[in-house]
C-alpha cells in the first residue's frame, strides 16, 4: 500500500525541505533550496500553490495525472492528496511554492470567499499555463509576500500578507480567463461533445437507469473536473452547466408533452424524475406554465 505523508502545518512542509520557518502560518519557498527526490505522496492540510519552471516527474492529483510543463501553476487545497513520481529518475526541481494554513485567512474577506477560486479543485489536464509576462507577475506577488514574512511582525503584517495572497489569486482568475479564450477551439469541441452527450442521454434509457444527468456525470464523461467543466461552460455560453442541462431537458420535455397518449407522470418518469411534482415545478420555472397548461395551450 502506498505510504502517504501527512502535511498539516507550514512547519511540517518546511521541514520536508530542510528550511527554516519564518512564519507559523505561511511560507514562500524557492525550490533551489529543496533536496532531490524520486517519489512522494502527501495529504495536504494546508493550501499550496506551486510555480513549476520545469517538468519534474509525473504529478498525481488524487487518482489522476496532472498536466503541467514549463511555467505552470498547480493549486492544492486542504484535504487533497498530491504526489510526484519521477519513474526512478533523481529530480532537482526548479520553481517556487506558496503554502499557507487556513487559519491565516480565517475571519478575513479572503477566508469567506476562498471557495470562489474554483481552480483549487481543477484536476485533469487543467493546470494554469503561464506566459512569460504572467510568470513575472506571479514572481512579483510571491516576492511581496516573502518580503512581509521576512519582516518583524506588526499590526499590519497579516493584512498585507492576506491582501497580497488575494491579489495573487485574482491575477490567477484573470490568467485562467485568458487560458479559456486562447483554448477556444478546444473548448468549442468540448461544447459539441457536451451537446452530443446530452442528446444521447435523452434518446437512450439512461434517464430511467441513471436518473437526471448531473454536471459531475457530464464532466466525468468529458474527462474534466466538475469545477473546470462548469467554468468552461460558463465562459463559452454565459450560462452555468446546470442551466445548459436543464434547458436541454426542458426541450426534450416539450417534445414529449405533445405526445397525447403519455401522461405527465409518464413523461416525468421517462426523463428521470422520481416525483412528478419535481418535474412540474422545474417546467413551470423555465416555461412560466405547467406541462398540462403547455399541452393545452399548444
Amino acid at each position: 500500500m502506498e505510504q502517504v505523508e501527512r502535511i498539516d502545518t507550514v512547519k511540517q512542509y518546511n521541514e520536508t525541505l530542510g528550511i527554516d520557518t519564518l512564519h507559523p502560518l505561511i511560507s514562500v519557498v524557492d525550490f533551489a533550496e529543496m533536496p532531490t527526490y524520486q517519489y512522494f505522496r502527501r495529504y495536504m492540510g494546508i493550501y499550496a500553490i506551486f510555480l513549476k519552471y520545469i517538468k519534474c516527474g509525473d504529478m498525481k492529483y488524487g487518482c489522476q495525472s496532472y498536466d503541467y510543463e514549463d511555467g505552470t501553476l498547480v493549486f492544492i487545497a486542504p484535504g487533497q492528496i498530491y504526489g510526484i513520481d519521477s519513474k526512478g529518475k533523481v529530480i532537482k526541481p526548479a520553481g517556487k511554492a506558496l503554502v499557507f494554513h487556513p487559519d491565516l485567512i480565517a475571519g478575513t474577506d479572503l477566508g469567506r470567499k476562498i471557495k470562489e477560486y474554483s481552480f483549487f479543485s481543477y484536476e485533469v489536464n487543467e493546470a494554469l499555463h503561464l506566459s512569460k509576462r504572467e510568470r513575472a507577475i506571479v514572481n512579483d506577488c510571491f516576492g511581496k509576500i516573502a518580503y512581509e514574512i521576512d519582516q518583524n511582525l506588526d499590526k499590519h503584517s497579516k493584512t498585507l500578507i492576506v491582501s497580497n495572497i488575494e491579489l495573487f489569486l485574482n491575477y490567477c482568475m484573470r490568467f485562467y480567463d485568458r487560458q479559456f479564450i486562447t483554448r477556444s477551439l478546444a473548448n468549442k469541441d468540448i461544447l459539441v461533445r457536451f451537446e452530443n452527450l446530452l442528446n444521447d442521454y435523452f434518446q437512450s434509457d439512461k434517464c430511467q437507469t441513471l436518473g437526471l444527468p448531473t454536471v459531475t456525470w457530464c464532466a466525468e464523461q468529458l474527462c474534466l473536473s466538475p469545477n473546470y467543466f462548469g467554468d468552461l461552460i460558463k465562459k463559452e455560453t454565459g450560462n452555468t452547466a446546470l442551466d445548459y442541462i436543464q434547458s436541454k431537458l426542458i426541450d426534450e420535455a416539450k417534445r414529449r408533452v405533445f405526445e397525447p397518449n403519455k401522461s405527465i407522470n409518464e413523461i416525468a418518469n421517462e426523463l428521470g424524475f422520481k416525483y412528478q411534482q419535481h418535474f412540474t415545478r422545474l417546467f413551470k420555472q423555465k416555461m412560466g406554465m405547467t406541462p398540462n397548461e403547455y399541452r393545452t395551450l399548444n
Side-chain angles (χ1 to χ4, degrees), residues 198-258:
L198 291 176
N199 288 337
D200 175 70
Y201 199 98
F202 290 124
Q203 297 307 314
S204 67
D205 62 354
K206 287 188 175 71
C207 284
Q208 292 171 294
T209 57
L210 300 178
L212 294 170
T214 65
V215 173
T216 298
W217 184 86
C218 292
E220 288 173 352
Q221 303 310 301
L222 298 170
C223 299
L224 298 170
S225 66
N227 277 349
Y228 187 88
F229 173 64
D231 286 349
L232 186 154
I233 297 301
K234 180 74 172 177
K235 294 290 189 304
E236 288 292 322
T237 69
N239 295 314
T240 67
L242 180 59
D243 285 338
Y244 196 94
I245 292 171
Q246 288 180 344
S247 293
K248 293 293 292 184
L249 175 66
I250 295 302
D251 285 344
E252 184 63 24
K254 285 158 61 179
R255 186 183 67 78
R256 299 190 189 201
V257 164
F258 288 141

Side-chain angles (χ1 to χ4, degrees), residues 93-115:
K96 293 180 180 177
L98 168 66
V99 297
F100 60 94
H101 196 279
D103 287 354
L104 178 71
I105 60 174
T108 68
D109 184 58
L110 177 59
R112 286 185 284 273
K113 67 180 186 181
I114 188 72
K115 292 189 182 299

Side-chain angles (χ1 to χ4, degrees), residues 21-32:
T21 298
L22 303 179
H23 190 296
L25 298 179
I26 185 168
S27 183
V28 175
V29 176
D30 188 332
F31 287 155

Side-chain angles (χ1 to χ4, degrees), residues 173-187:
M173 290 286 283
R174 170 186 278 179
F175 299 158
Y176 259 114
D177 283 348
R178 183 271 308 155
Q179 182 163 300
F180 281 123
I181 292 170
T182 56
R183 294 186 174 184
S184 60
L185 191 60
N187 295 346

Side-chain angles (χ1 to χ4, degrees), residues 67-85:
D67 169 31
Y68 72 99
E69 53 189 32
D70 178 24
T72 59
L73 281 174
V74 177
F75 299 84
I76 309 292
Q80 295 173 346
I81 295 173
Y82 86 103
I84 293 288
D85 186 356

